Amino acid sequence: MAADVVSIGDSWLGYAIRKGLVEPINNAEEQDWNQKGEADSNGSVWGVPYRWGTVVIAYKKSKFKQHNLKPIQDWEDLWRPELAGKISMIDSPREVIGAVLKQLGSSYNTIDMETEVNGGREAVLNSFTQLQKQVQLFDSMNYLKSFGVGDVWVTVGWSSDVIPAAKRMSNVAVVVPKSGSSLWADLWAIPCATRFQTDRIGGRTRGPSPLIHQWFDFCLQSARSLPFRQEIIPGASPLFLENPAPEVLQDRNKKKPKLETNLVRGVAPPEILEKCEFLKPLSDKAVGDYQWLMSRVQRPRGGLLGNVLQRISTVLGLKSRF
């Protein structure tokens, strides 16, 4: 109730707008930081990105060397028989199905699985069923714990989670799949607190602070991108898109082992970045395909995967058939 701005992930922004939890940023067109980023030029600005990144795959180099396994390079590697039961993954519905679509050479934002995916919906169903057998744990809270203690050799998650954890471990490599991955962004948004009646001290009842635009300006200053370039903060500054060539920075801790990764200053190489995608809202046709998919996937008796399938149906607003 007291906050003038809050941080929200881009995948939740549409939900927050529909539920009236955030309000438009007024006079955005008058600010230096504003850039046209929406297809609708008359649309409102609802959030200001302050960092972004991608979904990555991390694997234990020591285990791969011990068992003479080839390094992870792309999504299709998750389906390798020797990695069955050795993978943990976030349980985000769009990321799970998205990995399946990428493995089949399609897009995260596929509108019609039957016409846009080689082999149609049956191919998606078959690949998803195989992925279930490969992944030991679908859990956005504990997937890195499982990876850290060695229960699994491979993990799939957001770079903001994975990179800091990987730096605390040894013999770990982190890669953005060469066929592209999903992009995420953290945004500043203004909570619609004035619609809530409250007499609590600190409650914001007179609209957002007139200083919020100064806060946005501050966050988007060139100097604020330095922690990203020094890899102190995981992710990348939005300013990277204007000046993608990373600076050559002096290594202040040369004794610290360098993480093996194809990320450069938190960003995928240009040839991979151009294949990456932000997740767009699902079309009605895509929701129908997801519903068809969920109705034909056999849910295990209990366990985390069953919860994931239930969550996918819930997120899509579908009535569960399980």
Side-chain angles (χ1 to χ4, degrees), residues 72-105:
I72 297 288
Q73 293 186 321
D74 209 347
W75 291 111
E76 61 186 10
D77 291 322
L78 299 182
W79 277 257
R80 282 157 44 179
E82 62 268 26
L83 296 179
K86 301 297 184 182
I87 303 171
S88 66
M89 188 174 185
I90 51 179
D91 69 353
S92 170
R94 291 294 303 276
E95 300 296 352
V96 175
I97 303 300
V100 172
L101 293 170
K102 292 298 291 183
Q103 185 257 347
L104 293 171

Side-chain angles (χ1 to χ4, degrees), residues 177-196:
K178 64 181 183 181
S179 63
S181 186
S182 68
L183 299 172
W184 56 264
D186 286 336
L187 317 169
W188 292 123
I190 302 176
C192 194
T194 53
R195 76 185 186 94
F196 297 100

Side-chain angles (χ1 to χ4, degrees), residues 142-154:
N142 299 303
Y143 73 105
L144 286 174
K145 292 181 181 179
S146 179
F147 182 67
V149 300
D151 289 342
V152 296
W153 302 348
V154 180

Side-chain angles (χ1 to χ4, degrees), residues 144-205:
L144 286 174
K145 292 181 181 179
S146 179
F147 182 67
V149 300
D151 289 342
V152 296
W153 302 348
V154 180
T155 192
V156 182
W158 299 288
S159 55
S160 55
D161 290 344
V162 176
I163 295 297
K167 287 182 175 180
R168 295 191 295 267
M169 305 177 192
S170 59
N171 289 310
V172 172
V174 178
V175 298
V176 182
K178 64 181 183 181
S179 63
S181 186
S182 68
L183 299 172
W184 56 264
D186 286 336
L187 317 169
W188 292 123
I190 302 176
C192 194
T194 53
R195 76 185 186 94
F196 297 100
Q197 297 297 323
T198 178
D199 57 1
R200 297 181 63 178
I201 295 176
R204 178 166 67 78
T205 60

